[in-house]
Amino acid sequence: MEYITFEHDSRAEQLIGQAYDTPPLAYVHSYGCQQNVNDGERIKGVLVDIGYGLCDKPEDADLILFNTCAVREHAEQRVFGNVGALKGLKEKKPGLIIGLCGCMANQAHVVEKLRKSYPYVDLVFGVDGIDTLPQLICRKLEQHKRVLLDPAQRPVIVENLPIRRESEFRAWLPIMYGCDNFCTYCIVPYVRGREKSRRPADILAEFRGLVEAGYKEITLLGQNVNSYGKGLEEQIDFADLLNLLCSVPGDYHIRFMTSHPKDASRKLIDTIAAQPRICKHLHLPVQCGSNRILQQMNRRYTVEQYLDLIEYARARVPGITFSSDIIVGFPGETEEDFCQTLELIQKVGYMQLFTFIYSKREGTKAALLPDPTPRKEKTDRMERLLKTQDAIAMELVKAQVGQTVRVLVEGYGRLEGTLSGRLDNNLTVEFAADPVLLGQYAQVKLTGARATVLLGELAG
Ligand code: 5AD
Ligand code: SF4
């Protein structure tokens, strides 16, 4: 693994300065997961570094960049639809540069399709190419030719990329990239490549900077944070990293995602128990409640092992809450398999579920499996899942009423004059308060609940 440091590209800045009468504007839109959102923040940082301004509307832009997601087919179709809709804009404004990057750009068949059928797309580069963006724009401006890069994995980590964060009090902090797990349904290992961990000193430096800048919530990101540390010179695992970061003084809390259950160690749970700055919430995607399907998914744990882990966490961390991802309708999932999923979610009692109907991804192992279940059957199962989960969550949320808790005030509530805040356990509460509290911690008494949102009032 090679670690390189991003450096300002003054040649690109100069060239862009000469190419436009006034500073050009860039519109960057990110789809998908938090990792992608954070990549989008760094793309914006790199663009600003070479002289671009940022804008919120594609019509105002000189450069439009879609930072894409490939995890489900629906996401891909949306991107192709949105790219298609730009054709007219390009005709009106021939100098407009249209680009596509992120996970979709790491699939050869997508690049091929863009090359053949979307002649007005000028720029394509993959997830590892953010630092090369200044050179790619230069190439486009100097040679007036399309710059469409074929997918390639780079065994490098680029540190020091400039960043334009979307929030002033909540920050994403990647600790590792890629995934080695090859769950059979998942495209991520193919598009994001092998796992690579950032060096602890680099993570610590970015973390310190965030705390010093006043960030209150720092969410550590990785496809599987629990395997952090593989391949590093230092002997360090994810729990060690958490302990290291918690030694930074300041007023903040830490979240992290995603934890693969097979790698979530007792040591990690003990660390959550011991460190008051780590939120008492674990996103622990189970995907399915049937051992037969879990095996076909290559998840490498059983329902029993998963439940043991949940039990251990509940015993060690009083009040801990859980959330999960569930895939409905994996190839060959029977009614019985699905009922086992319903049973499991009832046993665990998740605060939140992120639910997905299985989406076939070309190139993955599951794409080769027979999938006889009709679509209608899958959507029916999804409805039953959501209904079951709603009832579970409403009960859990109601049980919180009466407590007084610290929340981070994140935004506006749905009723006028209210703000919304997030509890340590990831639930949301709405309460009447002055917007000066945005981005601050507040003590809130939980007085009631509307569906899965708590209602409260400022305390003290
Ligand atoms: N189909 C449906 N859901 C998927 N996920 C990943 N790949 C697929 C797929 N092919 C879901 C998993 C994962 C989440 C990020 O997306 O539940 O945990
Ligand atoms: Fe995909 Fe599995 Fe890796 Fe998550 S752990 S990114 S689901 S392969």
Side-chain angles (χ1 to χ4, degrees):
M1 177 66 50
E2 197 190 341
Y3 293 86
I4 56 179
T5 305
F6 177 82
E7 279 171 29
H8 171 69
D9 189 336
S10 44
R11 191 183 87 86
E13 189 179 17
Q14 212 176 11
L15 193 81
I16 286 160
Q18 288 160 0
Y20 297 91
D21 299 334
T22 54
L25 294 177
Y27 170 83
V28 180
H29 185 79
S30 294
Y31 300 79
C33 67
Q34 285 79 8
Q35 181 68 60
N36 231 32
V37 171
N38 184 252
D39 283 349
E41 293 178 326
R42 290 178 206 270
I43 290 168
K44 287 181 190 169
V46 168
L47 290 172
V48 170
D49 192 58
I50 51 173
Y52 277 88
L54 300 174
C55 64
D56 298 329
K57 283 194 275 180
E59 305 86 72
D60 298 336
D62 301 286
L63 167 66
I64 296 176
L65 210 46
F66 288 137
N67 182 29
T68 62
C69 168
V71 83
R72 279 172 292 275
E73 195 187 356
H74 177 70
E76 285 198 8
Q77 282 167 347
R78 252 177 68 209
V79 169
F80 278 119
N82 292 350
V83 172
L86 295 178
K87 194 176 172 199
L89 209 56
K90 178 85 170 195
E91 279 162 7
K92 270 195 254 160
K93 201 177 188 179
L96 172 66
I97 301 177
I98 297 176
L100 191 141
C101 60
C103 291
M104 275 173 74
N106 274 62
Q107 291 176 282
H109 72 92
V110 170
V111 181
E112 210 32 52
K113 181 164 167 179
L114 292 166
R115 194 171 273 138
K116 281 207 185 114
S117 313
Y118 293 81
Y120 47 93
V121 171
D122 311 279
L123 200 61
V124 174
F125 62 96
V127 290
D128 293 329
I130 298 175
D131 58 313
T132 64
L133 184 52
Q135 291 98 287
L136 301 181
I137 294 176
C138 284
R139 245 168 83 185
K140 168 71 194 148
L141 289 175
E142 284 175 325
Q143 300 173 5
H144 306 285
K145 274 202 270 179
R146 308 172 79 191
V147 182
L148 310 190
L149 303 189
D150 286 318
Q153 245 107 50
R154 273 168 89 201
V156 297
I157 286 188
V158 185
E159 290 296 346
N160 215 26
L161 281 170
I163 184 158
R164 277 301 179 107
R165 294 190 188 273
E166 281 172 10
S167 163
E168 285 168 5
F169 52 90
R170 302 166 67 194
W172 311 114
L173 175 48
I175 62 167
M176 59 186 300
Y177 306 97
C179 181
D180 287 352
N181 289 313
F182 291 93
C183 301
T184 55
Y185 49 81
C186 187
I187 196 76
V188 169
Y190 302 94
V191 292
R192 284 202 173 257
R194 298 291 60 74
E195 277 176 14
K196 19 182 204 182
S197 290
R198 287 180 74 190
R199 291 174 300 203
D202 294 327
I203 298 171
L204 184 62
E206 187 173 347
F207 187 88
R208 274 216 176 92
L210 289 168
V211 173
E212 279 161 16
Y215 279 87
K216 296 283 188 291
E217 175 172 284
I218 301 170
T219 303
L220 310 179
L221 296 179
Q223 273 352 298
N224 176 16
V225 289
N226 298 329
S227 62
Y228 174 77
K230 263 201 289 182
L232 285 174
E233 264 175 33
E234 296 95 322
Q235 274 292 327
I236 181 168
D237 64 16
F238 181 52
D240 299 330
L241 178 71
L242 282 169
N243 283 321
L244 176 69
L245 299 178
C246 285
S247 68
V248 174
D251 198 18
Y252 63 85
H253 60 269
I254 297 179
R255 297 187 189 276
F256 54 85
M257 65 195 319
T258 293
S259 283
H260 194 306
K262 80 175 164 57
D263 300 315
S265 62
R266 301 290 193 263
K267 181 176 170 189
L268 169 67
I269 308 284
D270 295 345
T271 306
I272 300 174
Q275 292 287 4
R277 286 188 167 114
I278 303 177
C279 285
K280 307 295 176 255
H281 171 81
L282 203 49
H283 182 61
L284 201 61
V286 69
Q287 310 296 358
C288 170
S290 147
N291 282 333
R292 192 180 72 84
I293 297 288
L294 283 174
Q295 200 180 12
Q296 297 207 2
M297 288 177 162
N298 189 32
R299 292 291 288 178
R300 286 176 277 174
Y301 53 80
T302 62
V303 169
E304 292 72 26
Q305 286 164 334
Y306 184 89
L307 287 172
D308 279 352
L309 186 65
I310 296 273
E311 197 183 326
Y312 183 78
R314 284 226 155 95
R316 290 289 287 122
V317 191
I320 192 169
T321 58
F322 302 95
S323 57
S324 190
D325 297 346
I326 302 276
I327 296 178
V328 171
F330 182 82
E333 181 192 71
T334 61
E335 172 64 20
E336 192 188 336
D337 294 317
F338 175 68
C339 286
Q340 291 176 353
T341 299
L342 291 182
E343 234 170 80
L344 176 71
I345 67 161
Q346 262 153 340
K347 267 192 199 148
V348 176
Y350 294 106
M351 278 291 185
Q352 281 159 318
L353 276 190
F354 300 89
T355 52
F356 311 100
I357 290 187
Y358 168 75
S359 169
K360 181 175 169 178
R361 307 283 56 211
E362 276 326 319
T364 63
K365 280 210 175 133
L368 304 171
L369 296 173
D371 188 5
T373 314
R375 180 86 193 165
K376 169 82 173 69
E377 176 84 37
K378 294 190 182 189
T379 52
D380 282 353
R381 284 181 194 165
M382 176 60 108
E383 265 175 43
R384 285 158 66 199
L385 177 66
L386 292 176
K387 228 177 174 177
T388 310
Q389 173 58 21
D390 273 355
I392 295 170
M394 279 199 297
E395 280 310 304
L396 290 172
V397 170
K398 246 193 266 162
Q400 305 276 315
V401 173
Q403 302 178 68
T404 298
V405 293
R406 185 183 81 154
V407 303
L408 176 63
V409 184
E410 289 184 344
Y412 291 93
R414 283 168 301 180
L415 286 181
E416 217 182 307
T418 64
L419 299 179
S420 85
R422 195 170 293 272
L423 282 66
D424 197 280
N425 64 19
N426 219 28
L427 284 177
T428 303
V429 58
E430 298 189 352
F431 51 97
D434 191 315
V436 292
L437 282 182
L438 283 171
Q440 306 291 319
Y441 287 116
Q443 290 289 329
V444 174
K445 180 164 188 316
L446 306 175
T447 53
R450 196 185 328 112
T452 52
V453 174
L454 285 155
L455 306 173
E457 54 194 41
L458 275 179

